[in-house]
Amino acid sequence: MESIQTIIDIFLTTYPGFLDAVIITLELTAISVVLGTVLGLVFALMKISKSKILQGIANLYITIIRGTPLLVQIMFLYFGITQIVVLDNFWAGALALGVHNGAYIAEIFRGAIQGIDHGQTEASRALGMTNSQLMRRIVFPQALRRSIPPLGNQFIITLKDSSLVWMIGVAELFSVANRAAASSFKQFETFIVVGFYYLVLVMIFTYIVRWYENRLDVDKV
């Protein structure tokens, strides 16, 4: 009972700081998701293109990002970028998360695009559609709907991965929890509280993704 009361006390005394951190966490997630989606689409198209050079660049990017830890990428980009341009830790962290997600989203888009029935593309070409019209009218709409479930999972992973940017001084949820634990000497109870915040955010994200899947009727694609 004492531990439960301690958890409640920590929650009540720290929620203003945690709520500010929630906003920063959501901003980090949103920016990195948008950047990762753009990069993912670009590199997916490069990987399925007929150009060996573009395929090689896409494969190199995906192999490096998927083959190295996210924390290493955050440190590499943060300390590397700040030697070239002036960039605060928030934007460096968002950029690192976006670049990291781009590799995984590229594979999601590639699989969705290549999963479209070849009969549809052949029929579209028989009707005189150009490649750009084919991609825009036939392939992309179906590929996007097929991508929603794995993209939703990737976005949730991004939300949780954002906790790693505390290492470069971003005041997101995990960073605030570390400071609160250090000042109160109640590490166990404090991390239960921050875990609750992450759980609520993930449940909200999951609900939104499922709602969007149902609205698009993904299972019928």
Side-chain angles (χ1 to χ4, degrees):
M1 291 297 294
E2 183 179 348
S3 294
I4 295 176
Q5 185 60 48
T6 302
I7 292 170
I8 294 173
D9 291 341
I10 290 174
F11 178 83
L12 294 176
T13 56
T14 60
Y15 79 87
F18 273 121
L19 290 180
D20 290 339
V22 164
I23 294 174
I24 295 175
T25 297
L26 292 175
E27 289 173 345
L28 270 172
T29 303
I31 293 170
S32 59
V33 161
V34 171
L35 177 58
T37 301
V38 173
L39 288 174
L41 181 58
V42 170
F43 281 98
L45 294 176
M46 290 172 63
K47 189 164 184 177
I48 64 176
S49 70
K50 296 180 180 179
S51 170
K52 296 295 183 183
I53 296 176
L54 293 180
Q55 289 179 17
I57 294 172
N59 285 328
L60 180 63
Y61 163 69
I62 292 171
T63 299
I64 291 174
I65 296 300
R66 296 180 70 178
T68 55
L70 174 55
L71 186 57
V72 173
Q73 296 166 22
I74 291 172
M75 294 298 188
F76 178 81
L77 287 173
Y78 176 63
F79 291 107
I81 290 173
T82 52
Q83 292 181 10
I84 302 172
V85 296
V86 177
L87 197 64
D88 66 22
N89 52 6
F90 174 87
W91 286 103
L95 179 60
L97 289 171
V99 170
H100 178 82
N101 279 283
Y104 292 90
I105 293 175
E107 288 294 88
I108 292 173
F109 281 142
R110 179 197 59 77
I113 292 171
Q114 292 183 330
I116 303 300
D117 184 13
H118 290 294
Q120 296 186 45
T121 60
E122 292 173 0
S124 301
R125 289 194 175 97
L127 292 173
M129 283 190 183
T130 63
N131 285 335
S132 61
Q133 289 175 328
L134 171 63
M135 295 297 287
R136 187 173 66 253
R137 297 178 182 178
I138 305 298
V139 176
F140 278 157
Q142 295 184 71
L144 178 60
R145 293 173 72 182
R146 289 169 180 259
S147 300
I148 294 300
L151 281 176
N153 290 334
Q154 187 61 39
F155 295 164
I156 291 171
I157 291 171
T158 302
L159 171 64
K160 294 185 287 186
D161 283 348
S162 67
S163 62
L164 292 175
V165 300
W166 81 276
M167 293 293 293
I168 58 174
V170 180
E172 45 69 60
L173 271 173
F174 195 74
S175 176
V176 172
N178 269 298
R179 292 202 300 267
S183 61
S184 66
F185 299 103
K186 301 290 184 181
Q187 285 81 2
F188 175 73
E189 293 85 354
T190 302
F191 288 118
I192 287 180
V193 171
V194 76
F196 170 78
Y197 281 101
Y198 278 114
L199 180 61
V200 170
L201 291 176
V202 167
M203 291 175 65
I204 293 173
F205 263 57
T206 302
Y207 174 80
I208 293 172
V209 170
R210 287 180 179 173
W211 172 82
Y212 197 58
E213 287 178 20
N214 293 332
R215 182 171 182 178
L216 291 180
D217 215 0
V218 172
D219 292 336
K220 293 184 179 180
V221 178

